[in-house]
Amino acid sequence: MKATSTTSAPAAIGPYSQAIVTGNLVFVSGQLPIDPATGSFAQGGIKELTRQSLTNMAHILKEAGTDMAHVVKTTVFLADMDDFAGMNEVYSTFFSQPFPARSAIAIKTLPKNARVEIECIAEIAPTRD
């Protein structure tokens, strides 16, 4: 088991890793919609916030040696389920069939009062010789 991190995504804000690689799996911690260049939430509504969370996730996966095409499971945490449609619209642009398994959960409060947080589990594809 080893930790993976990148400066292309926001640093962990607590005692956790951006991602852990074990075997051929990558477990990416929940990604808030923080722009790593500014340290602030992305500007805009739920679509822009979702895009930033997923972009952060993509950068972490790249650092771990995989990509969004190898994501097998996501969990989306929303502060307001009324944001589901907007989140889903952007989410669908980051994945193609077969889509990863997904749970979407409304939660009372997210860290830093974020509106969305997304975590995933991805497979590291075997390298070809």
Side-chain angles (χ1 to χ4, degrees):
M1 174 171 83
K2 76 172 190 162
T4 297
S5 65
T6 178
T7 57
S8 296
I13 58 173
Y16 62 90
S17 300
Q18 283 181 336
I20 292 290
V21 177
T22 184
N24 71 333
L25 295 176
V26 180
F27 295 81
V28 177
S29 294
Q31 293 303 300
L32 296 174
I34 295 174
D35 180 337
T38 66
S40 299
F41 287 129
Q43 296 295 308
I46 193 61
K47 292 179 184 180
E48 293 78 13
L49 296 169
T50 300
R51 184 172 293 106
Q52 185 66 58
S53 288
L54 290 167
T55 298
N56 293 342
M57 181 183 298
H59 288 301
I60 294 167
L61 289 170
K62 181 178 179 184
E63 185 67 24
T66 191
D67 56 32
M68 298 295 267
H70 291 89
V71 172
V72 296
K73 171 74 168 89
T74 64
T75 305
V76 177
F77 302 95
L78 293 167
D80 185 344
M81 199 51 83
D82 287 342
D83 286 337
F84 182 85
M87 174 281 299
N88 203 47
E89 183 179 324
V90 172
Y91 179 98
S92 68
T93 67
F94 279 78
F95 298 101
S96 57
Q97 291 191 8
F99 297 110
R102 180 180 77 185
S103 299
I105 303 163
I107 193 149
K108 183 177 178 182
T109 307
L110 289 165
K112 296 190 170 216
N113 292 315
R115 290 174 61 187
V116 63
E117 181 177 11
I118 306 172
E119 66 180 22
C120 77
I121 302 168
E123 177 183 43
I124 297 176
T127 56
R128 294 183 178 172
D129 294 328

mmCIF file with all atom_site columns, all heavy atoms in Angstrom, residues 66-90:
data_model
loop_
_atom_site.group_PDB
_atom_site.id
_atom_site.type_symbol
_atom_site.label_atom_id
_atom_site.label_alt_id
_atom_site.label_comp_id
_atom_site.label_asym_id
_atom_site.label_entity_id
_atom_site.label_seq_id
_atom_site.pdbx_PDB_ins_code
_atom_site.Cartn_x
_atom_site.Cartn_y
_atom_site.Cartn_z
_atom_site.occupancy
_atom_site.B_iso_or_equiv
_atom_site.pdbx_formal_charge
_atom_site.auth_seq_id
_atom_site.auth_comp_id
_atom_site.auth_asym_id
_atom_site.auth_atom_id
_atom_site.pdbx_PDB_model_num
ATOM 1   N N   . THR A 1 66 ? -3.324  5.799  -13.720 1.00 0.00 ? 66 THR A N   1
ATOM 2   C CA  . THR A 1 66 ? -4.561  5.359  -14.357 1.00 0.00 ? 66 THR A CA  1
ATOM 3   C C   . THR A 1 66 ? -5.350  6.577  -14.819 1.00 0.00 ? 66 THR A C   1
ATOM 4   O O   . THR A 1 66 ? -4.815  7.692  -14.857 1.00 0.00 ? 66 THR A O   1
ATOM 5   C CB  . THR A 1 66 ? -5.371  4.425  -13.428 1.00 0.00 ? 66 THR A CB  1
ATOM 6   O OG1 . THR A 1 66 ? -6.418  3.818  -14.181 1.00 0.00 ? 66 THR A OG1 1
ATOM 7   C CG2 . THR A 1 66 ? -5.910  5.119  -12.206 1.00 0.00 ? 66 THR A CG2 1
ATOM 8   N N   . ASP A 1 67 ? -6.611  6.389  -15.159 1.00 0.00 ? 67 ASP A N   1
ATOM 9   C CA  . ASP A 1 67 ? -7.415  7.503  -15.651 1.00 0.00 ? 67 ASP A CA  1
ATOM 10  C C   . ASP A 1 67 ? -8.893  7.250  -15.385 1.00 0.00 ? 67 ASP A C   1
ATOM 11  O O   . ASP A 1 67 ? -9.276  6.215  -14.839 1.00 0.00 ? 67 ASP A O   1
ATOM 12  C CB  . ASP A 1 67 ? -7.163  7.744  -17.138 1.00 0.00 ? 67 ASP A CB  1
ATOM 13  C CG  . ASP A 1 67 ? -7.408  6.512  -17.991 1.00 0.00 ? 67 ASP A CG  1
ATOM 14  O OD1 . ASP A 1 67 ? -8.294  5.695  -17.647 1.00 0.00 ? 67 ASP A OD1 1
ATOM 15  O OD2 . ASP A 1 67 ? -6.713  6.355  -19.002 1.00 0.00 ? 67 ASP A OD2 1
ATOM 16  N N   . MET A 1 68 ? -9.709  8.209  -15.791 1.00 0.00 ? 68 MET A N   1
ATOM 17  C CA  . MET A 1 68 ? -11.151 8.136  -15.538 1.00 0.00 ? 68 MET A CA  1
ATOM 18  C C   . MET A 1 68 ? -11.797 6.929  -16.226 1.00 0.00 ? 68 MET A C   1
ATOM 19  O O   . MET A 1 68 ? -12.815 6.428  -15.760 1.00 0.00 ? 68 MET A O   1
ATOM 20  C CB  . MET A 1 68 ? -11.831 9.424  -15.993 1.00 0.00 ? 68 MET A CB  1
ATOM 21  C CG  . MET A 1 68 ? -11.354 10.679 -15.258 1.00 0.00 ? 68 MET A CG  1
ATOM 22  S SD  . MET A 1 68 ? -11.736 10.693 -13.508 1.00 0.00 ? 68 MET A SD  1
ATOM 23  C CE  . MET A 1 68 ? -13.290 11.551 -13.532 1.00 0.00 ? 68 MET A CE  1
ATOM 24  N N   . ALA A 1 69 ? -11.223 6.456  -17.317 1.00 0.00 ? 69 ALA A N   1
ATOM 25  C CA  . ALA A 1 69 ? -11.784 5.303  -18.023 1.00 0.00 ? 69 ALA A CA  1
ATOM 26  C C   . ALA A 1 69 ? -11.684 4.022  -17.197 1.00 0.00 ? 69 ALA A C   1
ATOM 27  O O   . ALA A 1 69 ? -12.355 3.041  -17.505 1.00 0.00 ? 69 ALA A O   1
ATOM 28  C CB  . ALA A 1 69 ? -11.075 5.107  -19.364 1.00 0.00 ? 69 ALA A CB  1
ATOM 29  N N   . HIS A 1 70 ? -10.860 4.040  -16.157 1.00 0.00 ? 70 HIS A N   1
ATOM 30  C CA  . HIS A 1 70 ? -10.671 2.856  -15.320 1.00 0.00 ? 70 HIS A CA  1
ATOM 31  C C   . HIS A 1 70 ? -11.341 2.971  -13.947 1.00 0.00 ? 70 HIS A C   1
ATOM 32  O O   . HIS A 1 70 ? -11.111 2.156  -13.067 1.00 0.00 ? 70 HIS A O   1
ATOM 33  C CB  . HIS A 1 70 ? -9.178  2.560  -15.166 1.00 0.00 ? 70 HIS A CB  1
ATOM 34  C CG  . HIS A 1 70 ? -8.573  2.085  -16.445 1.00 0.00 ? 70 HIS A CG  1
ATOM 35  N ND1 . HIS A 1 70 ? -8.039  2.942  -17.372 1.00 0.00 ? 70 HIS A ND1 1
ATOM 36  C CD2 . HIS A 1 70 ? -8.464  0.839  -16.963 1.00 0.00 ? 70 HIS A CD2 1
ATOM 37  C CE1 . HIS A 1 70 ? -7.601  2.242  -18.409 1.00 0.00 ? 70 HIS A CE1 1
ATOM 38  N NE2 . HIS A 1 70 ? -7.864  0.965  -18.193 1.00 0.00 ? 70 HIS A NE2 1
ATOM 39  N N   . VAL A 1 71 ? -12.186 3.993  -13.790 1.00 0.00 ? 71 VAL A N   1
ATOM 40  C CA  . VAL A 1 71 ? -12.935 4.150  -12.539 1.00 0.00 ? 71 VAL A CA  1
ATOM 41  C C   . VAL A 1 71 ? -14.036 3.093  -12.507 1.00 0.00 ? 71 VAL A C   1
ATOM 42  O O   . VAL A 1 71 ? -14.796 2.948  -13.458 1.00 0.00 ? 71 VAL A O   1
ATOM 43  C CB  . VAL A 1 71 ? -13.524 5.567  -12.415 1.00 0.00 ? 71 VAL A CB  1
ATOM 44  C CG1 . VAL A 1 71 ? -14.471 5.666  -11.221 1.00 0.00 ? 71 VAL A CG1 1
ATOM 45  C CG2 . VAL A 1 71 ? -12.398 6.591  -12.303 1.00 0.00 ? 71 VAL A CG2 1
ATOM 46  N N   . VAL A 1 72 ? -14.104 2.354  -11.413 1.00 0.00 ? 72 VAL A N   1
ATOM 47  C CA  . VAL A 1 72 ? -15.114 1.303  -11.287 1.00 0.00 ? 72 VAL A CA  1
ATOM 48  C C   . VAL A 1 72 ? -16.258 1.688  -10.357 1.00 0.00 ? 72 VAL A C   1
ATOM 49  O O   . VAL A 1 72 ? -17.351 1.135  -10.448 1.00 0.00 ? 72 VAL A O   1
ATOM 50  C CB  . VAL A 1 72 ? -14.498 -0.044 -10.836 1.00 0.00 ? 72 VAL A CB  1
ATOM 51  C CG1 . VAL A 1 72 ? -13.531 -0.558 -11.886 1.00 0.00 ? 72 VAL A CG1 1
ATOM 52  C CG2 . VAL A 1 72 ? -13.822 0.072  -9.489  1.00 0.00 ? 72 VAL A CG2 1
ATOM 53  N N   . LYS A 1 73 ? -16.020 2.668  -9.459  1.00 0.00 ? 73 LYS A N   1
ATOM 54  C CA  . LYS A 1 73 ? -17.056 3.057  -8.492  1.00 0.00 ? 73 LYS A CA  1
ATOM 55  C C   . LYS A 1 73 ? -16.830 4.488  -8.066  1.00 0.00 ? 73 LYS A C   1
ATOM 56  O O   . LYS A 1 73 ? -15.693 4.902  -7.835  1.00 0.00 ? 73 LYS A O   1
ATOM 57  C CB  . LYS A 1 73 ? -16.983 2.137  -7.262  1.00 0.00 ? 73 LYS A CB  1
ATOM 58  C CG  . LYS A 1 73 ? -17.843 2.551  -6.076  1.00 0.00 ? 73 LYS A CG  1
ATOM 59  C CD  . LYS A 1 73 ? -19.314 2.282  -6.306  1.00 0.00 ? 73 LYS A CD  1
ATOM 60  C CE  . LYS A 1 73 ? -20.157 2.412  -5.045  1.00 0.00 ? 73 LYS A CE  1
ATOM 61  N NZ  . LYS A 1 73 ? -20.665 3.742  -4.795  1.00 0.00 ? 73 LYS A NZ  1
ATOM 62  N N   . THR A 1 74 ? -17.900 5.261  -8.008  1.00 0.00 ? 74 THR A N   1
ATOM 63  C CA  . THR A 1 74 ? -17.840 6.608  -7.456  1.00 0.00 ? 74 THR A CA  1
ATOM 64  C C   . THR A 1 74 ? -18.910 6.756  -6.387  1.00 0.00 ? 74 THR A C   1
ATOM 65  O O   . THR A 1 74 ? -19.930 6.059  -6.395  1.00 0.00 ? 74 THR A O   1
ATOM 66  C CB  . THR A 1 74 ? -18.066 7.703  -8.522  1.00 0.00 ? 74 THR A CB  1
ATOM 67  O OG1 . THR A 1 74 ? -19.386 7.584  -9.041  1.00 0.00 ? 74 THR A OG1 1
ATOM 68  C CG2 . THR A 1 74 ? -17.045 7.617  -9.645  1.00 0.00 ? 74 THR A CG2 1
ATOM 69  N N   . THR A 1 75 ? -18.652 7.686  -5.507  1.00 0.00 ? 75 THR A N   1
ATOM 70  C CA  . THR A 1 75 ? -19.664 8.121  -4.557  1.00 0.00 ? 75 THR A CA  1
ATOM 71  C C   . THR A 1 75 ? -19.699 9.638  -4.635  1.00 0.00 ? 75 THR A C   1
ATOM 72  O O   . THR A 1 75 ? -18.662 10.295 -4.537  1.00 0.00 ? 75 THR A O   1
ATOM 73  C CB  . THR A 1 75 ? -19.351 7.676  -3.118  1.00 0.00 ? 75 THR A CB  1
ATOM 74  O OG1 . THR A 1 75 ? -19.175 6.256  -3.098  1.00 0.00 ? 75 THR A OG1 1
ATOM 75  C CG2 . THR A 1 75 ? -20.482 8.048  -2.170  1.00 0.00 ? 75 THR A CG2 1
ATOM 76  N N   . VAL A 1 76 ? -20.889 10.168 -4.860  1.00 0.00 ? 76 VAL A N   1
ATOM 77  C CA  . VAL A 1 76 ? -21.094 11.606 -4.956  1.00 0.00 ? 76 VAL A CA  1
ATOM 78  C C   . VAL A 1 76 ? -21.875 12.037 -3.723  1.00 0.00 ? 76 VAL A C   1
ATOM 79  O O   . VAL A 1 76 ? -22.947 11.494 -3.441  1.00 0.00 ? 76 VAL A O   1
ATOM 80  C CB  . VAL A 1 76 ? -21.882 11.974 -6.235  1.00 0.00 ? 76 VAL A CB  1
ATOM 81  C CG1 . VAL A 1 76 ? -22.146 13.469 -6.296  1.00 0.00 ? 76 VAL A CG1 1
ATOM 82  C CG2 . VAL A 1 76 ? -21.167 11.479 -7.478  1.00 0.00 ? 76 VAL A CG2 1
ATOM 83  N N   . PHE A 1 77 ? -21.332 12.998 -3.023  1.00 0.00 ? 77 PHE A N   1
ATOM 84  C CA  . PHE A 1 77 ? -21.987 13.573 -1.850  1.00 0.00 ? 77 PHE A CA  1
ATOM 85  C C   . PHE A 1 77 ? -22.461 14.967 -2.231  1.00 0.00 ? 77 PHE A C   1
ATOM 86  O O   . PHE A 1 77 ? -21.673 15.788 -2.700  1.00 0.00 ? 77 PHE A O   1
ATOM 87  C CB  . PHE A 1 77 ? -21.010 13.670 -0.672  1.00 0.00 ? 77 PHE A CB  1
ATOM 88  C CG  . PHE A 1 77 ? -20.419 12.346 -0.279  1.00 0.00 ? 77 PHE A CG  1
ATOM 89  C CD1 . PHE A 1 77 ? -19.193 11.959 -0.781  1.00 0.00 ? 77 PHE A CD1 1
ATOM 90  C CD2 . PHE A 1 77 ? -21.083 11.495 0.591   1.00 0.00 ? 77 PHE A CD2 1
ATOM 91  C CE1 . PHE A 1 77 ? -18.630 10.738 -0.423  1.00 0.00 ? 77 PHE A CE1 1
ATOM 92  C CE2 . PHE A 1 77 ? -20.536 10.271 0.951   1.00 0.00 ? 77 PHE A CE2 1
ATOM 93  C CZ  . PHE A 1 77 ? -19.307 9.900  0.441   1.00 0.00 ? 77 PHE A CZ  1
ATOM 94  N N   . LEU A 1 78 ? -23.748 15.220 -2.046  1.00 0.00 ? 78 LEU A N   1
ATOM 95  C CA  . LEU A 1 78 ? -24.334 16.521 -2.376  1.00 0.00 ? 78 LEU A CA  1
ATOM 96  C C   . LEU A 1 78 ? -24.922 17.152 -1.118  1.00 0.00 ? 78 LEU A C   1
ATOM 97  O O   . LEU A 1 78 ? -25.584 16.467 -0.330  1.00 0.00 ? 78 LEU A O   1
ATOM 98  C CB  . LEU A 1 78 ? -25.443 16.366 -3.413  1.00 0.00 ? 78 LEU A CB  1
ATOM 99  C CG  . LEU A 1 78 ? -25.023 15.908 -4.810  1.00 0.00 ? 78 LEU A CG  1
ATOM 100 C CD1 . LEU A 1 78 ? -26.238 15.505 -5.634  1.00 0.00 ? 78 LEU A CD1 1
ATOM 101 C CD2 . LEU A 1 78 ? -24.231 17.012 -5.499  1.00 0.00 ? 78 LEU A CD2 1
ATOM 102 N N   . ALA A 1 79 ? -24.708 18.444 -0.962  1.00 0.00 ? 79 ALA A N   1
ATOM 103 C CA  . ALA A 1 79 ? -25.311 19.159 0.159   1.00 0.00 ? 79 ALA A CA  1
ATOM 104 C C   . ALA A 1 79 ? -26.809 19.362 -0.077  1.00 0.00 ? 79 ALA A C   1
ATOM 105 O O   . ALA A 1 79 ? -27.569 19.536 0.873   1.00 0.00 ? 79 ALA A O   1
ATOM 106 C CB  . ALA A 1 79 ? -24.617 20.500 0.371   1.00 0.00 ? 79 ALA A CB  1
ATOM 107 N N   . ASP A 1 80 ? -27.226 19.316 -1.339  1.00 0.00 ? 80 ASP A N   1
ATOM 108 C CA  . ASP A 1 80 ? -28.633 19.529 -1.690  1.00 0.00 ? 80 ASP A CA  1
ATOM 109 C C   . ASP A 1 80 ? -28.960 18.638 -2.890  1.00 0.00 ? 80 ASP A C   1
ATOM 110 O O   . ASP A 1 80 ? -28.401 18.816 -3.969  1.00 0.00 ? 80 ASP A O   1
ATOM 111 C CB  . ASP A 1 80 ? -28.853 20.994 -2.033  1.00 0.00 ? 80 ASP A CB  1
ATOM 112 C CG  . ASP A 1 80 ? -30.304 21.349 -2.297  1.00 0.00 ? 80 ASP A CG  1
ATOM 113 O OD1 . ASP A 1 80 ? -31.134 20.437 -2.524  1.00 0.00 ? 80 ASP A OD1 1
ATOM 114 O OD2 . ASP A 1 80 ? -30.611 22.553 -2.290  1.00 0.00 ? 80 ASP A OD2 1
ATOM 115 N N   . MET A 1 81 ? -29.876 17.715 -2.726  1.00 0.00 ? 81 MET A N   1
ATOM 116 C CA  . MET A 1 81 ? -30.231 16.803 -3.812  1.00 0.00 ? 81 MET A CA  1
ATOM 117 C C   . MET A 1 81 ? -30.863 17.544 -4.992  1.00 0.00 ? 81 MET A C   1
ATOM 118 O O   . MET A 1 81 ? -30.904 17.020 -6.102  1.00 0.00 ? 81 MET A O   1
ATOM 119 C CB  . MET A 1 81 ? -31.146 15.690 -3.302  1.00 0.00 ? 81 MET A CB  1
ATOM 120 C CG  . MET A 1 81 ? -31.207 14.477 -4.207  1.00 0.00 ? 81 MET A CG  1
ATOM 121 S SD  . MET A 1 81 ? -29.606 13.766 -4.704  1.00 0.00 ? 81 MET A SD  1
ATOM 122 C CE  . MET A 1 81 ? -29.204 12.739 -3.315  1.00 0.00 ? 81 MET A CE  1
ATOM 123 N N   . ASP A 1 82 ? -31.275 18.780 -4.803  1.00 0.00 ? 82 ASP A N   1
ATOM 124 C CA  . ASP A 1 82 ? -31.758 19.585 -5.929  1.00 0.00 ? 82 ASP A CA  1
ATOM 125 C C   . ASP A 1 82 ? -30.640 19.870 -6.929  1.00 0.00 ? 82 ASP A C   1
ATOM 126 O O   . ASP A 1 82 ? -30.909 20.249 -8.073  1.00 0.00 ? 82 ASP A O   1
ATOM 127 C CB  . ASP A 1 82 ? -32.376 20.902 -5.447  1.00 0.00 ? 82 ASP A CB  1
ATOM 128 C CG  . ASP A 1 82 ? -33.729 20.710 -4.776  1.00 0.00 ? 82 ASP A CG  1
ATOM 129 O OD1 . ASP A 1 82 ? -34.356 19.637 -4.966  1.00 0.00 ? 82 ASP A OD1 1
ATOM 130 O OD2 . ASP A 1 82 ? -34.159 21.625 -4.051  1.00 0.00 ? 82 ASP A OD2 1
ATOM 131 N N   . ASP A 1 83 ? -29.391 19.688 -6.527  1.00 0.00 ? 83 ASP A N   1
ATOM 132 C CA  . ASP A 1 83 ? -28.240 19.871 -7.415  1.00 0.00 ? 83 ASP A CA  1
ATOM 133 C C   . ASP A 1 83 ? -27.942 18.626 -8.253  1.00 0.00 ? 83 ASP A C   1
ATOM 134 O O   . ASP A 1 83 ? -27.032 18.637 -9.078  1.00 0.00 ? 83 ASP A O   1
ATOM 135 C CB  . ASP A 1 83 ? -26.981 20.226 -6.609  1.00 0.00 ? 83 ASP A CB  1
ATOM 136 C CG  . ASP A 1 83 ? -26.993 21.654 -6.096  1.00 0.00 ? 83 ASP A CG  1
ATOM 137 O OD1 . ASP A 1 83 ? -27.701 22.498 -6.682  1.00 0.00 ? 83 ASP A OD1 1
ATOM 138 O OD2 . ASP A 1 83 ? -26.269 21.930 -5.118  1.00 0.00 ? 83 ASP A OD2 1
ATOM 139 N N   . PHE A 1 84 ? -28.699 17.551 -8.052  1.00 0.00 ? 84 PHE A N   1
ATOM 140 C CA  . PHE A 1 84 ? -28.396 16.287 -8.719  1.00 0.00 ? 84 PHE A CA  1
ATOM 141 C C   . PHE A 1 84 ? -28.360 16.408 -10.242 1.00 0.00 ? 84 PHE A C   1
ATOM 142 O O   . PHE A 1 84 ? -27.435 15.927 -10.886 1.00 0.00 ? 84 PHE A O   1
ATOM 143 C CB  . PHE A 1 84 ? -29.394 15.196 -8.301  1.00 0.00 ? 84 PHE A CB  1
ATOM 144 C CG  . PHE A 1 84 ? -29.104 13.863 -8.918  1.00 0.00 ? 84 PHE A CG  1
ATOM 145 C CD1 . PHE A 1 84 ? -28.198 12.998 -8.327  1.00 0.00 ? 84 PHE A CD1 1
ATOM 146 C CD2 . PHE A 1 84 ? -29.719 13.467 -10.105 1.00 0.00 ? 84 PHE A CD2 1
ATOM 147 C CE1 . PHE A 1 84 ? -27.906 11.770 -8.901  1.00 0.00 ? 84 PHE A CE1 1
ATOM 148 C CE2 . PHE A 1 84 ? -29.430 12.241 -10.681 1.00 0.00 ? 84 PHE A CE2 1
ATOM 149 C CZ  . PHE A 1 84 ? -28.522 11.393 -10.071 1.00 0.00 ? 84 PHE A CZ  1
ATOM 150 N N   . ALA A 1 85 ? -29.361 17.035 -10.832 1.00 0.00 ? 85 ALA A N   1
ATOM 151 C CA  . ALA A 1 85 ? -29.433 17.111 -12.304 1.00 0.00 ? 85 ALA A CA  1
ATOM 152 C C   . ALA A 1 85 ? -28.233 17.849 -12.882 1.00 0.00 ? 85 ALA A C   1
ATOM 153 O O   . ALA A 1 85 ? -27.614 17.392 -13.852 1.00 0.00 ? 85 ALA A O   1
ATOM 154 C CB  . ALA A 1 85 ? -30.737 17.767 -12.749 1.00 0.00 ? 85 ALA A CB  1
ATOM 155 N N   . GLY A 1 86 ? -27.859 18.975 -12.296 1.00 0.00 ? 86 GLY A N   1
ATOM 156 C CA  . GLY A 1 86 ? -26.702 19.729 -12.775 1.00 0.00 ? 86 GLY A CA  1
ATOM 157 C C   . GLY A 1 86 ? -25.414 18.956 -12.600 1.00 0.00 ? 86 GLY A C   1
ATOM 158 O O   . GLY A 1 86 ? -24.558 18.939 -13.493 1.00 0.00 ? 86 GLY A O   1
ATOM 159 N N   . MET A 1 87 ? -25.265 18.305 -11.443 1.00 0.00 ? 87 MET A N   1
ATOM 160 C CA  . MET A 1 87 ? -24.087 17.476 -11.201 1.00 0.00 ? 87 MET A CA  1
ATOM 161 C C   . MET A 1 87 ? -24.035 16.363 -12.228 1.00 0.00 ? 87 MET A C   1
ATOM 162 O O   . MET A 1 87 ? -22.994 16.101 -12.848 1.00 0.00 ? 87 MET A O   1
ATOM 163 C CB  . MET A 1 87 ? -24.132 16.886 -9.784  1.00 0.00 ? 87 MET A CB  1
ATOM 164 C CG  . MET A 1 87 ? -23.035 15.892 -9.454  1.00 0.00 ? 87 MET A CG  1
ATOM 165 S SD  . MET A 1 87 ? -23.236 14.186 -10.070 1.00 0.00 ? 87 MET A SD  1
ATOM 166 C CE  . MET A 1 87 ? -24.746 13.663 -9.271  1.00 0.00 ? 87 MET A CE  1
ATOM 167 N N   . ASN A 1 88 ? -25.153 15.699 -12.445 1.00 0.00 ? 88 ASN A N   1
ATOM 168 C CA  . ASN A 1 88 ? -25.212 14.553 -13.347 1.00 0.00 ? 88 ASN A CA  1
ATOM 169 C C   . ASN A 1 88 ? -24.873 14.949 -14.784 1.00 0.00 ? 88 ASN A C   1
ATOM 170 O O   . ASN A 1 88 ? -24.224 14.194 -15.509 1.00 0.00 ? 88 ASN A O   1
ATOM 171 C CB  . ASN A 1 88 ? -26.598 13.919 -13.281 1.00 0.00 ? 88 ASN A CB  1
ATOM 172 C CG  . ASN A 1 88 ? -26.588 12.484 -13.716 1.00 0.00 ? 88 ASN A CG  1
ATOM 173 O OD1 . ASN A 1 88 ? -25.752 11.699 -13.289 1.00 0.00 ? 88 ASN A OD1 1
ATOM 174 N ND2 . ASN A 1 88 ? -27.534 12.129 -14.571 1.00 0.00 ? 88 ASN A ND2 1
ATOM 175 N N   . GLU A 1 89 ? -25.290 16.136 -15.191 1.00 0.00 ? 89 GLU A N   1
ATOM 176 C CA  . GLU A 1 89 ? -25.006 16.612 -16.545 1.00 0.00 ? 89 GLU A CA  1
ATOM 177 C C   . GLU A 1 89 ? -23.492 16.704 -16.778 1.00 0.00 ? 89 GLU A C   1
ATOM 178 O O   . GLU A 1 89 ? -22.978 16.244 -17.798 1.00 0.00 ? 89 GLU A O   1
ATOM 179 C CB  . GLU A 1 89 ? -25.662 17.971 -16.758 1.00 0.00 ? 89 GLU A CB  1
ATOM 180 C CG  . GLU A 1 89 ? -25.485 18.517 -18.153 1.00 0.00 ? 89 GLU A CG  1
ATOM 181 C CD  . GLU A 1 89 ? -26.162 19.863 -18.326 1.00 0.00 ? 89 GLU A CD  1
ATOM 182 O OE1 . GLU A 1 89 ? -27.249 20.086 -17.740 1.00 0.00 ? 89 GLU A OE1 1
ATOM 183 O OE2 . GLU A 1 89 ? -25.592 20.694 -19.057 1.00 0.00 ? 89 GLU A OE2 1
ATOM 184 N N   . VAL A 1 90 ? -22.772 17.277 -15.832 1.00 0.00 ? 90 VAL A N   1
ATOM 185 C CA  . VAL A 1 90 ? -21.319 17.403 -15.962 1.00 0.00 ? 90 VAL A CA  1
ATOM 186 C C   . VAL A 1 90 ? -20.644 16.051 -15.750 1.00 0.00 ? 90 VAL A C   1
ATOM 187 O O   . VAL A 1 90 ? -19.734 15.675 -16.500 1.00 0.00 ? 90 VAL A O   1
ATOM 188 C CB  . VAL A 1 90 ? -20.775 18.449 -14.966 1.00 0.00 ? 90 VAL A CB  1
ATOM 189 C CG1 . VAL A 1 90 ? -19.251 18.453 -14.955 1.00 0.00 ? 90 VAL A CG1 1
ATOM 190 C CG2 . VAL A 1 90 ? -21.315 19.825 -15.311 1.00 0.00 ? 90 VAL A CG2 1
#
